[in-house]
């Protein structure tokens, strides 16, 4: 096969970027690439999360494991996670995971003295490293930062109850435990391509058009006010695609067209080389950083394949692909 | 909601001392209720969790009602439960005015390691992690409990023997002493109760059920990235096989899925009853479906789903939405069992029965029939004798195959090793005389024709019972 190349030059077009949200287009590639990126974001981008809890005093209503589990799920700001060491291969502490290179220590001391219930929240966790602190969405958003908005509730204490503990946060990946996954949502869709058969559409009355437009659960089509006025009558407003990405491949409009006796009124198919990604982060790292880290992790994985002796030996299995990955 | 499900049991659940208590870590209120549920306040005490269910086939580990679970959901607390079990110890009083005593633990010595969780009063401390073989009460009992009255205090240490109680829980699991209660029982002696807590996350083999009697065990647990996802980013917690529907006709479950999905999108708890639509005690499926369409879902409740493994859209639309799922109290951890060699019953010398007694797995009548039909004679021989209750007897056997001697020849032709030490004259059981170092037949009063043979102990028992009423084999 002459001229066939595995090389691709994916193209990214950013639509929307917020701290914890990103929407972008990944083009000129195929589903394997898009899915690899998604999978890595969910399972292999490292973050920091509480992994070990030593409870000194706990007279709250929740038991020790319960609190430990809740602490583990609190997202911690993990910008430095990529450069941190996994405690299992940390040389400085022989893998016991209690040194500055691979862990961050937290302390929590709370006691309810008053008559009112005391909310122990993630804000009460005192970190030993100011780079690694519990995520607080109220900081980044302009919520009215009143006293109510105080982080993630861990437990509530009544008068006389006390909670005192020491926690160690470590680097990890989402594959081991979901608490290390930086992704709240990572998903993609094939970019739809919608073609309205104008000739068939002409044959529809306004009421029919209206009904057809409304048959879609999401607002993909609409009647164009402008064209209707242009033609001097409100009766024949043209159907236009307002938001082709709102289409959820539900085929409701196609079914509706068939029910109306006009099959082929609209043709919709997904572009196989363009994906619209929606990425939401837990706050541990910025959504944009999450994508970049995922690409980095993916690169490392490919390097591992490329540099391993096995791929050379298994050349008959990988063939051209193996040679390509070695840069040949 | 029923007898087997877990959840909150009562508002005072954490102040009770039940023998066995199953609690859910994060119970939820069902998204789809009925008027009756509201009237009796059933939704005030959660008995399950709202799981996003995708009705599809996945991985093949979902056949026969099994369900596939999402590992990330489990990590985040889905189906996590607390099992509390009570262990008690009584500080017994005896006839001769003596009583048990509880000693401070040995901090050095051979038993020190097993006594780590004990407080200085010799009773396990609340909050301590307890492992199998740990001692939770360092108790001693008097050797002499009857006879003359003894003053209750002045007994020397030698008059006591240790009756420590050791914890026997699942191996490799960490349980915690939740609470210790001291009280007096009906004989007015001190009774110490320990509540031991174990938090479990679901594992393969744990049983779950929806509220429609659709029970199933967890067939496999799969990583979130391998799970299918929708373009909204919804990833199911659970995958259920569609073959559960046609024969069972649980339409209610489908309505629950639709109603739950409409409920989460519009923010109102819907009613899932099939009756009472005119009076507003039930929501019609049409109105539910219209709510779905209003919020951008398809009318039928089906979504386009992408495969998490390949990233390609699945060919079919998948019926997906929240269904209230209960965790049932049947968990593999309490049931799994295997044994190599182990304890035997005294009477028959056969392996014990049942998990609690570390028993063997029986090759029953039907299994035996299969082996006979297959002709696996050596396997039957091994299962029914070697691995069960082999026994050697001294038998007096008659030259013409008589009695046991005959039986022996049928099973073991090789009489080089197993020259049957059976009396070859009368064919009855003899015994081995250790003084003479020879087998003796008590009927013939000599040891001339004695042979040994192997037979199941239960068989020997039967022969002797028969002999007792003069029935000779």
């Amino acid at each position: 096969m002459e001229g066939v190349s595995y090389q691709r030059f994916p193209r990214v077009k950013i639509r929307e970027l917020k701290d914890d949200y990103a929407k972008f287009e990944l083009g000129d590639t195929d589903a394997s690439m898009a899915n690899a990126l998604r999978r890595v974001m969910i399972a292999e981008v490292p973050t920091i999360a509480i992994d070990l809890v030593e409870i000194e005093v706990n007279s709250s209503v929740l038991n020790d494991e319960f609190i430990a589990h809740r602490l583990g799920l609190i997202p911690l700001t993990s910008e430095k996670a990529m450069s941190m060491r996994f405690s299992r291969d940390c040389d400085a502490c022989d893998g016991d995971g209690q040194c500055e290179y691979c862990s961050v220590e937290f302390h929590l001391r709370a006691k309810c003295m008053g008559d009112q219930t005391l909310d122990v929240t993630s804000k009460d966790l005192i970190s030993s490293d100011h780079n690694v602190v519990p995520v607080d969405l109220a900081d980044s958003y302009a919520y009215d930062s009143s006293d109510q908005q105080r982080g993630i509730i861990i437990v509530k204490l009544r008068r006389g109850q006390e909670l005192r503990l020491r926690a160690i946060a470590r680097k990890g990946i989402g594959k081991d435990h979901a608490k290390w996954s930086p992704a709240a949502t990572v998903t993609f869709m094939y970019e739809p391509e919608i073609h309205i058969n104008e000739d068939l559409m002409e044959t529809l009355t306004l009421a029919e058009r209206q009904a057809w437009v409304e048959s879609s659960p999401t607002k993909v089509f609409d009647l164009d006010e402008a064209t209707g006025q242009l033609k001097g009558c409100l009766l024949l407003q043209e159907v236009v695609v307002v938001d082709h990405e709102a289409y959820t491949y539900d085929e409701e409009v196609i079914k509706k067209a068939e029910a109306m006796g006009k099959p082929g009124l609209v043709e919709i198919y997904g572009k196989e080389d363009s994906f619209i990604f929606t990425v939401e982060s837990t706050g541990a790292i910025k959504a944009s950083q999450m994508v970049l880290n995922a690409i980095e992790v993916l690169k490392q994985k490919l390097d591992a394949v490329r540099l391993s002796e096995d791929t050379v030996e298994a050349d008959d299995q990988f063939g051209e692909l193996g040679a390509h990955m070695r840069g040949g | 909601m029923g007898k087997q499900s877990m959840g909150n049991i009562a508002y005072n659940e954490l102040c009770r001392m039940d023998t066995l208590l199953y609690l859910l870590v994060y119970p939820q209120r069902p998204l789809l209720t009925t008027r009756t549920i509201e009237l009796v306040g059933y939704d005030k005490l959660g008995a399950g969790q709202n799981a996003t269910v995708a009705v599809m086939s996945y991985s093949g580990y979902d056949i026969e009602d099994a369900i596939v679970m999402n590992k990330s959901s489990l990590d985040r607390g889905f189906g996590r439960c607390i099992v509390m079990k009570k262990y008690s110890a009584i500080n017994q009083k005896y006839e001769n005015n003596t009583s048990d005593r509880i000693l401070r633990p040995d901090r050095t010595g051979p038993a020190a390691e097993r006594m780590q969780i004990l407080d200085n009063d010799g009773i396990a401390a609340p909050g301590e992690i307890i492992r199998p073989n740990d001692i939770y009460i360092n108790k001693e009992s008097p050797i002499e409990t009857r006879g003359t009255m003894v003053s209750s205090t002045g007994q020397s240490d030698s008059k006591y023997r240790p009756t420590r109680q050791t914890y026997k829980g699942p191996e490799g699991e960490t349980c915690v002493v939740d609470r210790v209660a001291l009280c007096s029982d009906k004989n007015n002696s001190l009774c110490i109760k320990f509540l031991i807590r174990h938090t479990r996350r679901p594992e393969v083999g744990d049983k779950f059920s929806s509220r429609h009697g659709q029970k199933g065990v967890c067939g496999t647990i799969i990583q979130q990235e391998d799970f299918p996802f929708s373009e909204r980013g919804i990833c199911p917690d659970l995958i259920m096989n569609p073959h559960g529907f046609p024969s069972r006709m649980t339409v209610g479950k489908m309505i629950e899925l639709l109603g739950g999905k409409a409920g989460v999108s519009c923010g109102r708890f819907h009613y899932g009853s099939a009756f009472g639509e005119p009076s507003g005690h039930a929501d019609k499926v049409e109105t539910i479906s219209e709510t779905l369409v209003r919020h951008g879902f398809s009318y039928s409740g089906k979504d386009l789903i992408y495969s998490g493994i390949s990233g390609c859209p699945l060919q079919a639309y998948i019926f997906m939405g929240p269904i209230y799922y209960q965790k049932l109290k049947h968990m593999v951890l309490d049931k799994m069992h295997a044994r190599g060699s182990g304890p035997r019953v005294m009477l028959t010398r056969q392996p014990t029965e049942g998990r609690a007694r570390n028993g063997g797995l029986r090759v029953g009548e039907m299994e035996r029939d299969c082996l006979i039909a297959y002709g696996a004679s050596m396997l039957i021989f091994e299962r029914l004798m070697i691995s069960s209750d082999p026994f050697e007897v001294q038998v007096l056997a008659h030259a013409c195959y008589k009695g046991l001697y005959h039986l022996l020849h049928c099973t073991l032709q090789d009489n080089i090793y197993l020259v049957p030490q059976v009396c070859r004259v009368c064919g009855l059981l003899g015994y081995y005389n250790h003084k003479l170092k020879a087998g003796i037949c008590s009927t013939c009063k000599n040891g001339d024709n004695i042979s040994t043979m192997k037979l199941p102990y239960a068989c020997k028992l039967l022969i002797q019972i028969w002999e007792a009423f003069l029935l000779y084999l």
Side-chain angles (χ1 to χ4, degrees):
Chain A
M1 289 227 286
E2 198 65 34
V4 173
S5 171
Y6 292 101
Q7 206 154 13
R8 284 189 287 257
F9 295 98
R11 168 184 55 78
V12 173
K13 192 174 148 201
I14 295 164
R15 293 269 182 81
E16 206 181 336
L17 211 55
K18 278 188 246 164
D19 270 0
D20 62 345
Y21 178 85
K23 196 169 182 138
F24 62 91
E25 229 172 81
L26 182 74
D28 296 338
T29 187
D30 63 9
S32 66
M33 193 63 150
N35 198 41
L37 193 62
R38 181 191 73 91
R39 290 170 63 92
V40 168
M41 275 194 263
I42 292 172
E44 275 166 279
V45 174
T47 60
I48 300 164
I50 289 175
D51 196 30
L52 187 96
V53 181
E54 278 174 21
I55 290 176
E56 260 177 76
V57 180
N58 173 21
S59 52
S60 72
V61 284
L62 304 186
N63 58 48
D64 300 355
E65 305 95 278
F66 202 144
I67 290 174
H69 177 232
R70 290 182 72 83
L71 285 169
L73 291 174
I74 293 171
L76 306 174
T77 50
S78 318
E79 270 83 21
K80 66 172 220 174
M82 281 299 269
S83 56
M84 220 165 123
R85 290 182 196 164
F86 283 109
S87 59
R88 58 170 180 269
D89 40 45
C90 175
D91 302 324
C93 58
D94 289 334
D96 67 350
Q98 308 230 351
C99 73
E100 53 180 321
Y101 301 108
C102 65
S103 67
V104 178
E105 199 175 303
F106 285 87
H107 285 274
L108 191 147
R109 285 163 177 278
K111 186 168 187 179
C112 181
M113 307 303 274
D115 278 333
Q116 241 175 358
T117 41
L118 176 75
D119 293 355
V120 181
T121 68
S122 57
K123 284 244 170 116
D124 293 310
L125 277 171
I126 315 292
S127 170
S128 65
D129 183 341
H130 63 89
N131 287 317
V132 182
V133 288
V135 167
D136 190 4
L137 290 174
D139 290 343
S140 53
Y141 282 100
Y143 286 133
D144 58 296
S145 42
S146 55
D147 294 319
Q148 275 87 26
Q149 198 65 44
R150 284 189 71 243
I152 302 156
I153 292 189
I154 297 163
V155 68
K156 289 182 179 181
L157 300 180
R158 66 170 283 176
R159 189 191 182 99
Q161 291 178 336
E162 192 181 2
L163 181 63
R164 214 158 63 215
L165 56 89
R166 187 176 84 103
I168 301 231
R170 291 181 184 142
K171 176 183 170 176
I173 56 170
K175 206 172 234 170
D176 293 333
H177 194 283
K179 68 185 174 186
W180 278 304
S181 176
T185 305
V186 182
T187 181
F188 61 76
M189 67 181 282
Y190 286 66
E191 193 178 339
E193 229 175 337
I194 303 173
H195 297 288
I196 298 173
N197 189 331
E198 297 292 343
D199 296 338
L200 261 177
M201 190 61 79
E202 287 290 307
T203 61
L204 294 183
T205 64
L206 180 69
E208 280 174 322
R209 287 180 191 190
Q210 190 88 42
W212 184 77
V213 163
E214 276 167 14
S215 70
S216 174
T218 46
K219 204 163 171 58
V220 182
F221 307 98
D222 203 359
L223 295 171
D224 193 357
E225 301 279 335
T227 52
Q229 276 158 9
L230 211 72
K231 285 184 180 166
C233 56
L234 276 162
L235 285 171
L236 278 175
Q237 290 169 337
E238 259 179 56
V239 174
V240 286
V241 179
V242 247
D243 182 9
H244 69 282
E245 275 164 31
Y247 185 64
T248 55
Y249 294 94
D250 45 38
E251 295 187 356
E252 292 284 339
V253 280
I254 295 168
K255 280 184 215 146
K256 179 72 180 175
E258 273 165 20
M260 287 159 73
K262 310 270 180 199
L265 182 66
V266 68
E267 271 183 23
I268 306 172
Y269 43 88
K271 280 191 201 166
E272 300 229 326
D273 63 343
S274 184
F275 306 90
I276 299 156
F277 266 81
T278 312
V279 175
E280 280 173 41
S281 143
T282 57
I285 46 177
K286 283 185 182 157
S288 54
Q289 194 60 46
M290 191 161 109
V291 181
L292 295 177
N293 287 357
I295 294 168
E296 188 59 38
V297 171
L298 203 54
K299 261 185 183 164
Q300 282 168 12
K301 285 170 84 87
L302 286 173
D303 280 345
V305 176
R306 195 176 62 188
L307 298 173
S308 90
E309 295 288 315
D310 299 349
T311 48
V312 183
E313 282 163 21
D315 242 11
D316 21 312
Q317 192 191 330
F318 287 111
E320 214 178 319
L321 179 68
H324 174 72
M325 282 201 295
R326 285 195 304 275
Chain B
M1 283 197 170
K3 289 192 283 186
Q4 301 183 26
S5 70
M6 292 183 210
N8 298 117
I9 57 139
Y11 288 126
N12 67 347
E13 59 187 18
L14 296 175
C15 310
R16 296 161 59 116
M17 269 284 184
D18 298 75
T19 357
L20 200 55
L21 181 62
Y22 293 103
L23 299 173
L24 212 54
V25 174
Y26 293 105
Q28 289 177 346
R29 178 181 168 189
L31 276 170
L32 200 83
T33 54
T34 62
R35 244 306 128 73
T36 325
I37 284 178
E38 280 179 4
L39 286 173
V40 298
Y42 230 126
D43 49 353
K44 298 277 192 293
L45 288 168
Q49 285 162 328
N50 294 296
T52 303
V53 179
V55 182
M56 62 180 277
S57 172
Y58 188 92
S59 79
Y61 283 95
D62 56 354
I63 51 166
E64 294 289 331
D65 289 327
I67 50 175
V68 176
M69 300 190 93
N70 184 335
K71 182 174 168 288
S72 293
S73 306
L74 306 187
D75 286 345
R76 293 182 180 118
F78 178 75
R80 201 168 276 245
C81 67
I82 302 168
V83 179
M84 305 254 231
K85 202 169 177 190
K86 188 183 75 180
Y87 294 81
S88 47
I90 297 167
N91 204 22
Q92 202 94 46
K93 281 178 185 155
Y94 298 99
E95 281 175 28
N96 60 350
N97 204 22
T98 53
S99 68
D100 292 347
R101 59 179 191 174
I102 302 167
L103 290 183
R104 53 173 44 236
D106 308 343
R107 295 299 182 202
T108 53
E113 208 187 328
R114 288 159 67 215
M115 291 196 190
Q116 276 176 343
I117 62 158
L118 296 184
D119 251 346
N120 281 335
D121 60 0
I123 299 171
E128 290 283 357
I129 291 171
I130 187 166
R131 293 188 180 81
N133 295 320
D134 274 351
I135 292 164
Y136 57 86
I137 180 159
N138 190 21
K139 202 171 74 171
E140 284 193 344
S141 300
I143 297 165
E144 200 71 49
T145 57
R146 287 153 186 270
T148 50
M149 295 291 271
V150 192
S151 73
S152 56
T153 45
Q155 282 270 63
S156 68
D157 284 357
S158 59
K159 295 265 169 74
Y160 287 93
R161 68 190 159 86
T163 47
R164 296 156 179 165
Q165 294 203 4
T166 54
Y167 173 69
K168 284 172 196 71
E171 203 67 53
E173 300 284 329
T174 48
C175 301
V176 180
V177 181
D178 191 65
R179 236 153 352 105
V180 177
L182 282 82
C183 54
S184 44
D185 69 353
K186 59 177 183 276
N187 300 323
N188 218 15
S189 47
L190 177 67
C191 178
I192 301 142
K193 291 173 180 170
F194 300 84
L195 204 59
I196 290 179
R197 153 165 51 90
H198 185 206
T199 306
R200 298 177 186 173
R201 55 178 288 163
E203 58 182 321
V204 172
D206 283 0
K207 199 171 175 185
F208 291 84
S209 172
S210 70
R211 289 181 291 174
H212 309 271
Q214 295 260 42
K215 58 181 191 283
V217 292
C218 171
T220 182
I221 295 167
I222 286 181
Q223 296 280 350
Q224 189 190 340
E225 65 265 26
D226 290 335
F227 248 62
F229 61 97
S230 79
E231 52 194 41
R232 288 171 176 242
I234 298 168
C235 187
D237 297 310
L238 212 114
I239 293 177
M240 185 213 143
N241 196 296
H243 288 102
F245 281 119
S247 59
R248 258 143 288 174
M249 294 185 280
T250 46
V251 185
K253 192 166 178 175
M254 297 195 224
I255 297 175
E256 181 178 353
L257 191 144
L258 281 176
K261 198 170 175 178
V264 279
S265 40
C266 77
R268 182 176 77 83
F269 288 93
H270 283 72
Y271 290 121
S273 170
F275 309 102
E277 280 126 339
S279 51
H281 296 334
D283 285 291
K284 275 193 211 154
V285 171
E286 286 108 83
T287 43
I288 289 173
S289 287
E290 272 155 27
T291 321
L292 281 179
V293 172
R294 216 167 35 246
H295 291 89
F297 289 101
S298 96
Y299 188 86
S300 56
K302 295 180 189 170
D303 294 311
L304 181 88
I305 296 277
Y306 293 83
S307 160
I309 298 169
S310 69
C312 300
L314 298 186
Q315 293 205 327
Y317 291 100
I318 303 299
F319 195 48
M320 188 168 87
I323 295 177
Y324 197 63
Y325 258 82
Q326 300 161 328
K327 188 174 187 190
L328 305 185
K329 65 180 185 184
H330 305 282
M331 287 175 284
V332 266
L333 194 74
D334 303 322
K335 306 204 169 190
M336 69 171 175
H337 172 54
R339 136 171 180 162
S341 52
R344 279 151 197 277
V345 187
M346 226 190 334
L347 181 68
T348 61
R349 303 200 184 169
Q350 287 175 349
T352 50
E353 201 181 332
R355 192 184 110 98
R357 277 166 286 174
N358 190 25
L361 296 167
R362 184 184 165 89
V363 175
E365 221 167 307
M366 295 174 80
E367 289 80 3
R368 188 211 57 171
D369 289 349
C370 290
L371 294 175
I372 290 172
Y374 193 71
S377 60
M378 292 311 281
L379 182 61
I380 303 176
F381 179 61
E382 188 209 290
R383 287 292 99 196
L384 266 45
M385 172 123 123
I386 310 285
S387 305
S388 179
D389 53 346
F391 187 65
E392 267 189 17
V393 288
Q394 326 285 312
V395 181
L396 203 63
H398 198 260
C400 61
Y401 299 154
K402 187 179 176 184
L404 281 174
Y405 189 56
H406 171 66
L407 189 114
L408 185 104
H409 257 259
C410 295
T411 50
L412 304 163
Q413 266 113 41
D414 192 6
N415 41 14
I416 297 169
Y417 296 106
L418 287 156
V419 183
Q421 294 199 11
V422 172
C423 179
R424 290 192 292 274
V425 175
C426 65
L428 293 177
L429 292 176
Y431 63 92
Y432 187 79
N433 190 320
H434 285 274
K435 239 184 223 165
L436 302 169
K437 297 215 165 61
I440 300 282
C441 174
S442 47
T443 323
C444 306
K445 305 280 191 294
N446 62 35
D448 300 343
N449 298 309
I450 283 289
S451 307
T452 55
M453 72 177 286
K454 252 187 190 168
L455 78 168
Y457 187 83
C459 179
K460 172 242 153 194
L461 204 66
L462 183 71
I463 291 162
Q464 287 182 323
I465 290 168
W466 281 346
E467 276 177 11
F469 50 79
L470 305 178
L471 176 68
Y472 297 105
L473 187 76

